[in-house]
């Protein structure tokens, strides 16, 4: 019976660590994409403004 308890705890711990890891990667990816889009928009704005008379 003890082996079943440890197996359940191991499964719960593994799933928790996996979900936290996915969350951290998701947040990091969000900020990388957000910064890339902001940079692209600023560069595009500068490019458009240079074409104005």
């Amino acid at each position: 019976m003890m082996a079943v308890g440890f197996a359940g705890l191991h499964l719960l711990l593994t799933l928790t660590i996996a979900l936290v890891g996915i969350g951290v990667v998701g947040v990091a990816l969000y900020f990388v994409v957000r910064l890339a889009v902001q940079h692209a928009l600023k560069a595009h704005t500068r490019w458009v403004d240079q074409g104005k008379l």
Side-chain angles (χ1 to χ4, degrees):
M1 281 222 165
M2 283 297 250
V4 174
F6 285 128
L9 180 63
H10 182 261
L11 178 63
L12 182 63
L13 189 61
T14 302
L15 289 175
T16 302
I17 290 172
L19 289 175
V20 168
I22 290 170
V24 168
V25 169
V27 168
L29 184 61
Y30 168 78
F31 280 109
V32 166
V33 170
R34 181 178 170 188
L35 287 173
V37 169
Q38 284 179 341
H39 174 73
L41 286 173
K42 286 180 183 178
H44 178 70
T45 301
R46 283 192 302 267
W47 178 70
V48 169
D49 286 345
Q50 287 175 355
K52 291 182 180 176
L53 295 176

